[in-house]
Amino acid sequence: MASWNSTGIDEDQVLVEERRFARILTLNRPKQLNAISFTMVSRLLELFSSYETDPSVKLVVVKGKGRAFCAGGDVSAAAHAIKESEWRKGAYFFRKQYTLNYLLATSSKPQVSLLNGIVMGGGAGVSIHGRFRVATEKSIFAMPETSLGHFPDVGASYYLPRLRGFFGEYVGLTGARLDGAEMLACGLATHFVPSERLTQLEEALCRADTSQPSIISAIIDKFSRTPILHEQSAYNRLDVIDKCFSRRTVEDILAALEEEALKKKDDWIDSTIRDLKKASPTSLKISLRSIREGRLQDAGQCLIREYRMACHVMRGEVSEDFIEGCRALLLDKDRNPKWEPSKLELVTDAMVERYFSRIEDEEWEDLKLTARPNLPASATSKL
């Protein structure tokens, strides 16, 4: 469990290797599948901030130790903070994490993330915002927050709606798992490299004395191959996904899927309906609105809005589904959450609206993100 009171930096959670003009950062909590802790966020923020002004650093490679890149944020610690009536400690973690996400999204130094394993939630936040995302045959991506009573955050409302069509709504609402081939096809990954070639790729990147994205991309291309989407891939169902997940409300999306299910027997449609019906109704509604708003907002605006939403989730004034989701999936592990409100129709527009409003607390303030002048085109496109 992350320590919300930690002021020291445990450098062992992020291993740093200096290789000429490159820095290799290894997320090092393998027993926790490299789940993002407060200590890890603090260390990464410190490192990436220093690299921005260090001319000797031209490239940053990020990877995970063990079978995961990063399985998400340490949500059990957040749930513990809420139970102890210390939601502000949880909010402070999200503030720091979203600040890191913003720095990565607008970094002047190319970041290459080697996504060789599980990439979920907070793990996406420390990789997808970077310039290059390398998937492998071992990659598993998901944003499973709606099943936890939370919502896809860490800037997901910026990158999900920028996937083709309405695939982002599908991924964000259902928590669907994608493999490396699907990540490449939909744009979450920029390259696909077989895992046995990652060491060679890393060596080649470390020999490169450049920050030029075109040169870095060409280096990765030498080790890349084009994977084959399996026949049952959700990405082969874009026509149905666009038809259903383009609907205005979650209720409309479900109705459209159920209409499709009546036309023909389809296990994928049936499982998609089940995933939606198992998720928190409140989470589904605030997640859909968040992703839709993100279509027209830049990365900073998305993170500022997500911080408001996260604080409301932590306070639990509208719904305590986050606590219940953590209990059912992570603590008691009965996998039978009792959502409240229990049905979509019981989650009113007024309830949803509250998640997007300012917190009524004198000590609370919106997330403040520092202006980022003199950025490369890849970063300014996100502003």
Side-chain angles (χ1 to χ4, degrees):
M1 183 176 293
S3 172
W4 299 96
N5 294 308
S6 175
T7 53
I9 300 294
D10 180 0
E11 296 187 6
D12 289 342
Q13 291 195 16
V14 181
L15 305 178
V16 183
E17 188 179 355
E18 297 186 4
R19 302 276 294 277
R20 299 183 72 229
F21 294 99
R23 298 295 180 269
I24 313 293
L25 306 184
T26 304
L27 308 182
N28 186 37
R29 299 181 75 207
K31 290 182 180 179
Q32 296 82 19
L33 301 179
N34 300 322
I36 294 284
S37 66
F38 180 84
T39 297
M40 193 182 282
V41 167
S42 300
R43 181 65 173 146
L44 289 170
L45 191 55
E46 175 190 275
L47 289 166
F48 275 97
S49 295
S50 68
Y51 296 157
E52 282 296 292
T53 55
D54 187 344
S56 70
V57 178
K58 297 185 178 181
L59 171 69
V60 184
V61 176
V62 183
K63 61 182 182 177
K65 187 172 184 179
R67 65 188 182 94
F69 172 78
C70 172
D74 199 341
V75 294
S76 60
H80 180 74
I82 300 171
K83 278 194 169 183
E84 298 298 317
S85 300
E86 296 179 325
W87 72 269
R88 286 186 183 82
K89 289 183 180 178
Y92 182 61
F93 170 77
F94 284 117
R95 175 177 287 270
K96 200 143 193 172
Q97 186 178 28
Y98 295 174
T99 302
L100 171 64
N101 300 146
Y102 181 69
L103 177 59
L104 299 182
T106 58
S107 176
S108 61
K109 305 296 173 77
Q111 175 187 341
V112 180
S113 298
L114 305 180
L115 308 177
N116 188 36
I118 301 167
V119 188
M120 294 185 181
V126 296
S127 58
I128 304 300
H129 295 295
R131 186 66 189 268
F132 301 105
R133 291 93 58 191
V134 179
T136 76
E137 77 283 355
K138 296 180 181 179
S139 299
I140 302 172
F141 176 93
M143 297 299 288
E145 287 82 2
T146 60
S147 65
L148 276 170
H150 195 48
F151 63 94
D153 64 336
V154 294
S157 65
Y158 175 77
Y159 64 76
L160 286 179
R162 283 159 180 80
L163 302 183
R164 181 177 167 185
F166 293 86
F167 196 68
E169 276 89 339
Y170 163 73
V171 170
L173 295 182
T174 65
R177 294 191 173 201
L178 308 179
D179 63 22
E182 291 168 314
M183 291 177 68
L184 181 69
C186 76
L188 287 167
T190 58
H191 297 79
F192 184 99
V193 174
S195 59
E196 68 267 15
R197 306 196 73 186
L198 288 180
T199 300
Q200 295 170 276
L201 169 61
E202 201 174 306
E203 292 296 328
L205 290 169
C206 290
R207 288 194 297 270
D209 174 10
T210 183
S211 284
Q212 274 292 337
S214 59
I215 299 176
I216 295 167
S217 185
I219 292 171
I220 304 173
D221 284 341
K222 292 178 182 177
F223 298 88
S224 298
R225 71 172 178 83
T226 303
I228 299 172
L229 278 176
H230 57 83
E231 188 178 343
Q232 298 303 313
S233 170
Y235 204 69
N236 288 329
R237 310 297 184 91
L238 277 177
D239 55 340
V240 178
I241 287 173
D242 287 351
K243 182 178 180 180
C244 298
F245 283 84
S246 60
R247 301 300 176 92
R248 191 176 65 85
T249 68
V250 180
E251 290 94 332
D252 291 343
I253 289 171
L254 258 173
L257 285 165
E258 288 171 339
E259 187 177 322
E260 291 295 315
L262 291 174
K263 294 178 182 177
K264 61 177 179 178
K265 176 63 179 173
D266 189 318
D267 291 341
W268 175 82
I269 291 178
D270 291 342
S271 67
T272 300
I273 292 171
R274 282 196 301 272
D275 289 340
L276 289 172
K277 288 187 173 180
K278 284 192 300 186
S280 157
T282 301
S283 292
L284 288 174
K285 287 203 170 184
I286 65 174
S287 297
L288 180 60
R289 174 167 165 179
S290 179
I291 293 168
R292 292 278 162 85
E293 289 195 2
R295 285 182 177 269
L296 302 174
Q297 294 178 328
D298 63 36
Q301 290 170 325
C302 287
L303 288 162
I304 290 169
R305 171 177 37 71
E306 289 176 7
Y307 179 67
R308 282 190 179 188
M309 296 171 68
C311 288
H312 279 290
V313 168
M314 295 288 289
R315 282 165 67 91
E317 289 182 337
V318 182
S319 169
E320 295 184 349
D321 278 1
F322 181 53
I323 288 289
E324 175 60 10
C326 290
R327 180 206 65 76
L329 274 70
L330 303 175
L331 303 176
D332 298 343
K333 297 184 179 179
D334 58 36
R335 307 191 72 82
N336 187 31
K338 306 297 185 199
W339 305 126
E340 185 58 44
S342 60
K343 298 179 181 179
L344 286 167
E345 57 265 31
L346 298 177
V347 183
T348 66
D349 290 346
M351 293 167 69
V352 172
E353 185 65 37
R354 286 186 63 182
Y355 284 90
F356 296 80
S357 65
R358 288 182 53 83
I359 300 291
E360 294 179 5
D361 185 299
E362 289 183 1
E363 297 180 14
W364 183 89
E365 61 179 11
D366 271 320
L367 178 64
K368 300 288 196 301
L369 297 172
T370 306
R372 307 273 291 138
N374 305 318
L375 292 172
S378 61
T380 54
S381 66
K382 300 176 184 177
L383 300 178

XYZ file of all heavy atoms in Angstrom, residues 61-123:
472
model
N 13.882 6.182 -21.856
C 13.223 4.888 -22.049
C 12.601 4.477 -20.719
O 13.257 4.522 -19.676
C 14.223 3.808 -22.521
C 13.535 2.448 -22.632
C 14.847 4.205 -23.850
N 11.325 4.090 -20.751
C 10.633 3.659 -19.539
C 10.155 2.222 -19.730
O 9.576 1.884 -20.763
C 9.415 4.564 -19.217
C 8.760 4.139 -17.897
C 9.846 6.029 -19.138
N 10.412 1.384 -18.733
C 9.986 -0.020 -18.799
C 9.642 -0.500 -17.393
O 9.854 0.216 -16.406
C 11.080 -0.890 -19.418
C 12.404 -0.900 -18.639
C 13.443 -1.746 -19.356
C 14.743 -1.796 -18.558
N 15.759 -2.668 -19.205
N 9.081 -1.688 -17.302
C 8.719 -2.246 -16.007
C 9.499 -3.510 -15.731
O 9.857 -4.254 -16.648
N 9.756 -3.781 -14.455
C 10.443 -5.003 -14.072
C 9.423 -6.119 -13.857
O 8.378 -5.914 -13.257
C 11.239 -4.785 -12.785
C 12.120 -5.966 -12.399
C 13.011 -5.623 -11.236
C 13.968 -6.780 -10.925
N 14.867 -6.436 -9.800
N 9.719 -7.298 -14.386
C 8.804 -8.427 -14.214
C 7.798 -8.528 -15.341
O 8.040 -8.067 -16.460
N 6.631 -9.095 -15.032
C 5.655 -9.391 -16.089
C 4.676 -8.258 -16.357
O 3.739 -8.426 -17.140
C 4.884 -10.664 -15.747
C 4.006 -10.578 -14.515
C 3.444 -11.951 -14.168
N 2.553 -11.930 -13.021
C 1.238 -11.806 -13.113
N 0.660 -11.677 -14.289
N 0.486 -11.806 -12.028
N 4.878 -7.117 -15.733
C 4.004 -5.968 -15.972
C 4.829 -4.739 -16.305
O 5.939 -4.563 -15.785
C 3.132 -5.693 -14.744
N 4.299 -3.911 -17.194
C 4.850 -2.558 -17.313
C 4.379 -1.791 -16.084
O 5.177 -1.306 -15.288
C 4.361 -1.883 -18.600
C 4.748 -0.427 -18.676
C 6.034 -0.064 -19.025
C 3.827 0.571 -18.372
C 6.410 1.284 -19.067
C 4.188 1.908 -18.419
C 5.484 2.269 -18.764
N 3.059 -1.694 -15.910
C 2.472 -1.085 -14.721
C 0.987 -1.406 -14.714
O 0.277 -1.091 -15.673
C 2.693 0.419 -14.712
S 1.796 1.281 -13.396
N 0.529 -2.042 -13.633
C -0.861 -2.514 -13.571
C -1.827 -1.463 -13.050
O -2.976 -1.783 -12.745
C -0.938 -3.766 -12.708
N -1.376 -0.205 -12.949
C -2.297 0.855 -12.546
C -1.850 1.574 -11.293
O -0.749 1.364 -10.789
N -2.732 2.432 -10.779
C -2.454 3.143 -9.545
C -2.729 2.260 -8.345
O -3.463 1.270 -8.430
N -2.117 2.599 -7.230
C -2.313 1.833 -6.000
C -3.639 2.259 -5.374
O -3.692 2.991 -4.396
C -1.146 2.092 -5.052
C -1.026 1.013 -3.979
O -2.026 0.307 -3.757
O 0.048 0.889 -3.385
N -4.761 1.786 -5.971
C -6.084 2.266 -5.562
C -6.470 1.804 -4.172
O -7.288 2.424 -3.506
C -7.182 1.845 -6.574
C -6.988 2.528 -7.900
C -7.204 0.339 -6.748
N -5.871 0.698 -3.705
C -6.186 0.255 -2.353
C -5.748 1.291 -1.327
O -6.398 1.477 -0.295
C -5.519 -1.095 -2.062
O -4.115 -1.005 -2.174
N -4.655 1.992 -1.626
C -4.202 3.054 -0.730
C -5.182 4.226 -0.743
O -5.465 4.836 0.286
C -2.808 3.534 -1.141
N -5.714 4.534 -1.926
C -6.706 5.607 -2.024
C -7.961 5.245 -1.243
O -8.523 6.070 -0.512
C -7.058 5.856 -3.493
N -8.398 4.000 -1.372
C -9.584 3.558 -0.644
C -9.351 3.620 0.857
O -10.242 4.006 1.628
C -9.941 2.134 -1.065
N -8.145 3.258 1.291
C -7.809 3.317 2.714
C -7.871 4.761 3.213
O -8.379 5.040 4.306
C -6.409 2.749 2.945
C -5.970 2.770 4.373
N -6.468 1.904 5.319
C -5.088 3.583 5.023
C -5.902 2.166 6.493
N -5.062 3.175 6.332
N -7.372 5.687 2.400
C -7.390 7.101 2.792
C -8.825 7.596 2.967
O -9.132 8.337 3.909
C -6.658 7.948 1.753
N -9.708 7.178 2.070
C -11.107 7.598 2.173
C -11.741 7.021 3.441
O -12.446 7.715 4.176
C -11.910 7.128 0.941
C -11.326 7.728 -0.334
C -13.374 7.516 1.075
C -11.927 7.156 -1.597
N -11.462 5.750 3.716
C -12.036 5.109 4.907
C -11.588 5.808 6.187
O -12.312 5.831 7.185
C -11.643 3.627 4.946
C -12.509 2.734 4.075
C -12.288 1.276 4.414
C -13.333 0.396 3.736
N -13.174 -1.024 4.099
N -10.380 6.339 6.150
C -9.857 7.048 7.311
C -10.286 8.520 7.304
O -9.744 9.325 8.054
C -8.323 6.963 7.326
C -7.778 5.544 7.453
C -8.189 4.881 8.759
O -8.131 5.550 9.798
O -8.590 3.703 8.715
N -11.265 8.836 6.445
C -11.774 10.214 6.326
C -10.672 11.194 5.980
O -10.647 12.336 6.461
C -12.475 10.630 7.633
O -13.556 9.768 7.909
N -9.737 10.744 5.135
C -8.621 11.597 4.726
C -8.597 11.731 3.202
O -7.602 11.457 2.545
C -7.299 11.012 5.243
C -7.193 10.989 6.762
C -5.888 10.398 7.250
O -5.383 9.458 6.609
O -5.373 10.872 8.265
N -9.731 12.124 2.630
C -9.834 12.203 1.171
C -8.820 13.165 0.586
O -8.376 12.997 -0.556
C -11.254 12.596 0.758
C -11.631 14.024 1.033
C -12.210 14.513 2.157
C -11.440 15.146 0.168
N -12.397 15.867 2.059
C -11.943 16.280 0.841
C -10.920 15.303 -1.114
C -11.915 17.565 0.289
C -10.885 16.585 -1.679
C -11.385 17.683 -0.974
N -8.395 14.176 1.366
C -7.422 15.155 0.847
C -6.063 14.506 0.549
O -5.351 14.941 -0.343
C -7.250 16.305 1.834
C -8.419 17.278 1.862
C -8.125 18.475 2.757
N -9.257 19.363 2.839
C -10.302 19.185 3.649
N -10.330 18.126 4.454
N -11.305 20.043 3.674
N -5.733 13.467 1.314
C -4.470 12.768 1.041
C -4.564 12.043 -0.303
O -3.616 12.031 -1.081
C -4.163 11.774 2.162
C -3.762 12.446 3.469
C -3.395 11.426 4.528
C -2.987 12.121 5.823
N -2.668 11.142 6.894
N -5.712 11.437 -0.549
C -5.924 10.814 -1.849
C -5.910 11.843 -2.957
O -5.331 11.632 -4.023
N -6.542 12.994 -2.699
C -6.580 14.069 -3.688
C -5.176 14.583 -3.986
O -4.836 14.903 -5.141
C -7.461 15.204 -3.189
N -4.322 14.630 -2.969
C -2.945 15.091 -3.164
C -2.189 14.130 -4.077
O -1.404 14.548 -4.939
C -2.236 15.219 -1.815
C -0.821 15.731 -1.929
C -0.548 16.995 -2.465
C 0.257 14.950 -1.509
C 0.759 17.465 -2.570
C 1.563 15.409 -1.615
C 1.801 16.671 -2.147
O 3.080 17.122 -2.263
N -2.435 12.829 -3.911
C -1.820 11.838 -4.797
C -2.259 12.071 -6.243
O -1.430 12.101 -7.163
C -2.198 10.432 -4.356
C -1.800 9.370 -5.350
C -0.488 8.948 -5.448
C -2.745 8.798 -6.195
C -0.115 7.972 -6.367
C -2.383 7.824 -7.115
C -1.069 7.414 -7.198
N -3.571 12.251 -6.447
C -4.069 12.481 -7.810
C -3.502 13.780 -8.377
O -3.170 13.845 -9.563
C -5.596 12.524 -7.815
C -6.237 11.169 -7.695
C -7.023 10.841 -6.604
C -6.045 10.207 -8.683
C -7.609 9.592 -6.494
C -6.632 8.950 -8.576
C -7.411 8.637 -7.477
N -3.386 14.801 -7.552
C -2.824 16.080 -8.017
C -1.409 15.868 -8.543
O -1.042 16.361 -9.616
C -2.837 17.091 -6.867
C -2.166 18.426 -7.187
C -2.290 19.390 -6.019
N -3.646 19.893 -5.903
C -4.101 20.991 -6.513
N -3.297 21.695 -7.296
N -5.332 21.386 -6.341
N -0.624 15.126 -7.779
C 0.765 14.905 -8.176
C 0.836 13.993 -9.412
O 1.636 14.209 -10.325
C 1.524 14.266 -7.017
C 3.020 14.424 -7.101
C 3.625 14.627 -5.721
C 5.064 15.088 -5.825
N 5.625 15.485 -4.526
N -0.012 12.976 -9.448
C -0.022 12.051 -10.580
C -0.432 12.753 -11.870
O 0.194 12.560 -12.920
C -0.965 10.883 -10.292
C -0.934 9.797 -11.358
C -1.845 8.642 -11.020
O -2.847 8.799 -10.342
N -1.499 7.456 -11.481
N -1.457 13.583 -11.818
C -1.917 14.281 -13.016
C -0.908 15.329 -13.466
O -0.782 15.596 -14.661
C -3.273 14.937 -12.765
C -4.415 13.960 -12.488
C -5.674 14.427 -12.121
C -4.240 12.588 -12.570
C -6.730 13.554 -11.861
C -5.273 11.705 -12.306
C -6.516 12.190 -11.953
O -7.544 11.326 -11.681
N -0.186 15.918 -12.521
C 0.887 16.845 -12.881
C 1.979 16.113 -13.654
O 2.517 16.621 -14.647
C 1.475 17.509 -11.627
O 0.436 18.207 -10.922
C 2.576 18.497 -11.985
N 2.302 14.886 -13.208
C 3.263 14.056 -13.935
C 2.742 13.723 -15.330
O 3.481 13.834 -16.318
C 3.526 12.757 -13.152
C 4.338 11.682 -13.889
C 5.752 12.168 -14.177
C 4.366 10.386 -13.076
N 1.481 13.340 -15.441
C 0.891 13.026 -16.749
C 1.019 14.208 -17.701
O 1.333 14.036 -18.886
C -0.584 12.652 -16.601
C -0.829 11.448 -15.711
O -1.825 11.379 -15.008
N 0.081 10.485 -15.710
N 0.781 15.416 -17.191
C 0.872 16.628 -18.010
C 2.310 16.862 -18.474
O 2.553 17.204 -19.636
C 0.361 17.827 -17.220
C 0.387 19.127 -17.985
C -0.476 19.349 -19.047
C 1.285 20.140 -17.636
C -0.459 20.548 -19.754
C 1.308 21.342 -18.327
C 0.436 21.539 -19.389
O 0.465 22.720 -20.088
N 3.256 16.655 -17.563
C 4.660 16.834 -17.917
C 5.064 15.851 -19.019
O 5.750 16.222 -19.978
C 5.541 16.639 -16.675
C 7.056 16.730 -16.888
C 7.451 18.086 -17.458
C 7.797 16.468 -15.571
N 4.612 14.611 -18.911
C 4.940 13.612 -19.936
C 4.281 13.959 -21.270
O 4.875 13.772 -22.335
C 4.492 12.224 -19.478
C 5.123 11.685 -18.189
C 4.610 10.281 -17.893
C 6.640 11.688 -18.278
N 3.047 14.460 -21.214
C 2.317 14.799 -22.445
C 2.953 15.968 -23.172
O 2.800 16.092 -24.395
C 0.868 15.121 -22.111
N 3.661 16.818 -22.437
C 4.215 18.038 -23.036
C 5.740 18.059 -22.969
O 6.354 19.112 -23.121
C 3.652 19.276 -22.312
O 3.965 19.194 -20.916
C 2.153 19.370 -22.485
N 6.360 16.900 -22.775
C 7.810 16.849 -22.611
C 8.538 17.192 -23.907
O 8.103 16.823 -24.998
C 8.231 15.451 -22.150
O 9.639 15.355 -22.065
N 9.653 17.870 -23.758
C 10.484 18.197 -24.924
C 11.451 17.059 -25.249
O 12.105 17.080 -26.295
C 11.278 19.476 -24.653
O 12.152 19.300 -23.537
N 11.542 16.074 -24.350
C 12.448 14.937 -24.568
C 11.634 13.705 -24.983
O 10.686 13.330 -24.294
C 13.243 14.633 -23.283
C 14.023 15.809 -22.724
C 15.118 16.275 -23.655
C 15.787 17.566 -23.187
N 16.740 17.375 -22.100
N 11.978 13.081 -26.106
C 11.224 11.900 -26.547
C 11.245 10.786 -25.496
O 12.303 10.494 -24.924
C 11.954 11.467 -27.822
C 12.702 12.678 -28.266
C 13.070 13.427 -27.032
N 10.097 10.207 -25.253
C 9.965 9.095 -24.319
C 9.585 7.842 -25.103
O 8.647 7.854 -25.893
C 8.888 9.401 -23.276
C 8.591 8.242 -22.332
C 7.417 8.511 -21.414
O 7.024 9.679 -21.222
N 6.830 7.479 -20.839
N 10.329 6.765 -24.861
C 10.019 5.467 -25.469
C 9.592 4.532 -24.346
O 10.389 4.220 -23.457
C 11.235 4.871 -26.216
C 10.866 3.515 -26.823
C 11.730 5.823 -27.296
N 8.338 4.107 -24.358
C 7.835 3.194 -23.328
C 7.775 1.784 -23.894
O 7.178 1.557 -24.953
C 6.442 3.639 -22.861
O 6.503 4.924 -22.275
N 8.416 0.860 -23.191
C 8.443 -0.545 -23.624
C 7.355 -1.291 -22.859
O 7.534 -1.653 -21.693
C 9.827 -1.151 -23.359
C 11.013 -0.384 -23.979
C 12.329 -1.073 -23.645
C 10.846 -0.235 -25.488
N 6.227 -1.505 -23.512
C 5.013 -2.000 -22.849
C 4.937 -3.520 -22.924
O 4.000 -4.087 -23.481
C 3.791 -1.339 -23.484
C 3.858 0.193 -23.545
C 2.640 0.753 -24.264
C 3.966 0.783 -22.141
N 5.928 -4.164 -22.321
C 6.053 -5.617 -22.423
C 5.357 -6.290 -21.236
O 5.996 -6.771 -20.307
C 7.535 -6.000 -22.460
C 7.740 -7.467 -22.767
O 7.002 -8.048 -23.555
N 8.744 -8.071 -22.146
N 4.015 -6.312 -21.268
C 3.257 -6.887 -20.164
C 2.000 -6.085 -19.909
O 1.448 -5.457 -20.810
N 1.544 -6.105 -18.659
C 0.287 -5.464 -18.290
C 0.429 -3.945 -18.275
O 1.365 -3.403 -17.691
C -0.161 -5.959 -16.896
C -0.345 -7.475 -16.919
C -1.456 -5.278 -16.463
C -0.471 -8.099 -15.541
N -0.500 -3.260 -18.928
C -0.546 -1.794 -18.936
C -1.983 -1.393 -18.607
O -2.866 -1.493 -19.455
C -0.165 -1.198 -20.314
C -0.039 0.321 -20.212
C 1.109 -1.813 -20.843
N -2.204 -0.946 -17.386
C -3.567 -0.593 -16.990
C -3.586 0.717 -16.210
O -2.621 1.060 -15.531
C -4.184 -1.703 -16.130
C -4.411 -3.006 -16.863
S -5.263 -4.233 -15.835
C -5.345 -5.617 -16.969
N -4.697 1.429 -16.322
C -4.925 2.619 -15.503
C -3.743 3.556 -15.462
O -3.316 4.114 -16.481
N -3.184 3.727 -14.254
C -2.054 4.632 -14.071
C -0.852 4.279 -14.915
O -0.033 5.147 -15.237
N -0.723 3.006 -15.303
C 0.367 2.606 -16.188
C 0.235 3.229 -17.559
O 1.230 3.559 -18.212
